[in-house]
Amino acid sequence: DTLWDLAIAEVEKRENDDDDGKRLEVWEKSILFMGNKNGGKTTIILRCLEREEIPKPTLALEYTFGRRARRHNTPKDIAHFWELGGGTSLLELIRIPITSSNIMSFAVVLVLDLSKPNELWTTMEKLLQVTRSHVNKILTKLEKTNPKVATEIKQRMRNSLQRDHPDYELVDPFPIPLVIIGSKYDVFHEFDSEMRKIISKTLRFVSHYYGASLVVLFTSKSEALPLKAHVLINHLAFGYDKSKSVSVDHSKPLFIPAGLDSLSQIGPPPASDSDIGKMRANTPMELWKKVFEKTFPPKSLCDLQDTKDPAQDLQYTEYEVDVMRAQKNQELEHYKKNASRSWKEMDFDPD
């Protein structure tokens, strides 16, 4: 063997073996961040990866990754971070990062802008519905091709609550790990106390019902991602131990890991008995939706669509491409004029 061959062999040995000579398995996870447009998703990702970069608006679907070594001289674990931009306007892109090959190691982080409560339920509902539908389609296919994996995924989510938990049969866990983060807490904290209570209780119910973790403490003005949120995301991305602390006081930042809340602690929807009696709802989720939207009338999906032309976004300018595009646009307009003139000059008289 040459010196180069020996060096390669030594590097491979160090990367694949631990101190006892046993092969280490590399941890590889994927997380999709989605939520309100300009809600702080990019900022959270950058702070979690400890990157000192100025966040830029996400155009469509962006990807980055992080690597962490569990200890010295061990292979680095990999976390794939996907970010869906545009709020609810690009839902069809969800199917790109979530596939049957990575579904076992996938998680979702839903970032909700607390400063815009009238958009909160519509954004949350639409994003979670589309994501759940896509994941369920993958699970349906896996039940035929790999039933063992499909069963393991379903059982894993049922285990987000202990079997002796009083709400075990009352909730409907999301099919893959889910974290809900409330952003812009600095603005939210200035809301009326009753408004904060309604939003907080609603998010607690939704999170508990879906077997999700809830973090309501992220502020756009912070220089660092709050420790609890950082620990929670690192748990999803790199398998670090997750925090077991709980904070449920709606007058303070919330932090509730999955499975540590209960319907009895959350209480009924924040409305009078007479109002609740007038609301026709077939499910608990529908009842909470009606109560929430009575206080915060929702914006329509049309109002939430991103109508900005990405081609005009200055952050993506490329001189050569833009010059060629302008030339092709001129050629297209010239063609249209000639085609229109030729059409008008055509003689359709059969005689």
Side-chain angles (χ1 to χ4, degrees), residues 78 120 134 145 239 267 309:
I78 303 171
L120 192 149
H134 175 63
T145 60
D309 182 3

Side-chain angles (χ1 to χ4, degrees), residues 36-181:
N36 293 94
K37 188 174 182 294
N38 299 321
K41 300 182 293 296
T42 305
T43 302
I44 294 174
I45 293 173
L46 292 176
R47 291 177 183 172
C48 183
L49 295 176
E50 299 177 354
R51 294 181 184 172
E52 296 182 0
E53 301 175 22
I54 298 176
K56 296 181 179 179
T58 302
L59 181 62
L61 183 68
E62 296 195 2
Y63 167 81
T64 188
F65 69 94
R67 302 178 70 196
R68 296 281 191 278
R70 274 171 274 185
R71 57 182 185 271
H72 185 61
N73 281 340
T74 60
K76 291 184 177 181
D77 296 325
I78 303 171
H80 306 280
F81 291 84
W82 296 86
E83 181 186 352
L84 179 69
T88 59
S89 62
L90 300 169
L91 293 172
E92 68 277 5
L93 296 180
I94 287 175
R95 60 186 175 83
I96 295 176
I98 309 177
T99 66
S100 57
S101 61
N102 66 11
I103 191 69
M104 274 289 291
S105 58
F106 213 99
V108 170
V109 175
L110 176 64
V111 182
L112 299 173
D113 188 340
L114 300 181
S115 70
K116 301 176 181 177
N118 297 86
E119 298 180 12
L120 192 149
W121 192 283
T122 303
T123 300
M124 174 181 67
E125 181 178 57
K126 192 63 179 178
L127 287 171
L128 292 183
Q129 281 181 350
V130 173
T131 305
R132 185 166 205 159
S133 176
H134 175 63
V135 172
N136 285 338
K137 288 180 181 178
I138 293 177
L139 292 178
T140 299
K141 292 180 181 179
L142 284 176
E143 287 176 348
K144 299 177 182 178
T145 60
N146 197 335
K148 183 178 179 181
V149 171
T151 301
E152 184 177 343
I153 292 174
K154 292 179 179 180
Q155 187 58 48
R156 180 182 63 184
M157 293 317 299
R158 290 303 307 179
N159 291 340
S160 61
L161 281 186
Q162 298 294 327
R163 286 188 174 273
D164 59 353
H165 194 289
D167 304 331
Y168 187 79
E169 298 295 337
L170 302 177
V171 299
D172 185 16
F174 205 69
I176 55 179
L178 172 66
V179 172
I180 298 177
I181 295 180

